[in-house]
Amino acid sequence: MAKSSKHGATETDARSLAVTVERNLPESRLQQLGIKSWPKWGCPPGKFPLKYDAQETCYLVKGKVKIFTKGCPECMEFGAGDLAIFPKGLSCTWDVSVAVDKHYKFDSSS
């Protein structure tokens, strides 16, 4: 799990807006989540500011990304084979160094 510092946020806020990453998911976990039935999206290298209005879970098939969270000086990285969960309300910038191809789903109830 990504750890957020307290810069500009309370401990509770930092924890609730932390990005969670599961690395190198086995095929059994992919099947359990039904990832291959999720929509796909891709992007070229570049920087993309994002604000999550709903929780997003994504699985990177290809690519490498650094995530810079608003209000936190630290970044985290994830890439091909990793599953990341971005909480509702999070503002961050994706710094894509290797073009991304991902499966994703949104959960507006979270």
Side-chain angles (χ1 to χ4, degrees):
M1 183 160 142
K3 294 188 178 184
S4 298
S5 67
K6 297 180 192 175
H7 300 282
T10 66
E11 263 187 69
T12 303
D13 289 340
R15 269 197 305 272
S16 66
L17 293 180
V19 177
T20 303
V21 176
E22 289 182 48
R23 302 208 182 268
N24 301 313
L25 267 66
E27 185 63 32
S28 59
R29 180 83 167 117
L30 298 177
Q31 290 175 359
Q32 175 190 27
L33 294 169
I35 287 172
K36 292 183 180 176
S37 68
W38 297 357
K40 284 184 92 174
W41 179 84
C43 69
K47 291 186 180 183
F48 305 92
L50 299 168
K51 168 97 168 76
Y52 291 89
D53 295 327
Q55 176 179 289
E56 179 185 352
T57 303
C58 68
Y59 173 75
L60 261 63
V61 178
K62 297 179 192 172
K64 188 171 184 181
V65 180
K66 284 184 182 177
I67 303 296
F68 295 90
T69 304
K70 188 173 184 176
C72 182
E74 300 169 7
C75 75
M76 68 171 307
E77 292 184 60
F78 69 103
D82 295 340
L83 179 91
I85 301 171
F86 296 87
K88 179 179 180 178
L90 178 74
S91 291
C92 66
T93 298
W94 279 45
D95 185 353
V96 178
S97 57
V98 177
V100 165
D101 185 12
K102 72 175 186 175
H103 287 281
Y104 70 94
K105 74 171 185 172
F106 289 103
D107 179 2
S108 58
S109 65
S110 55

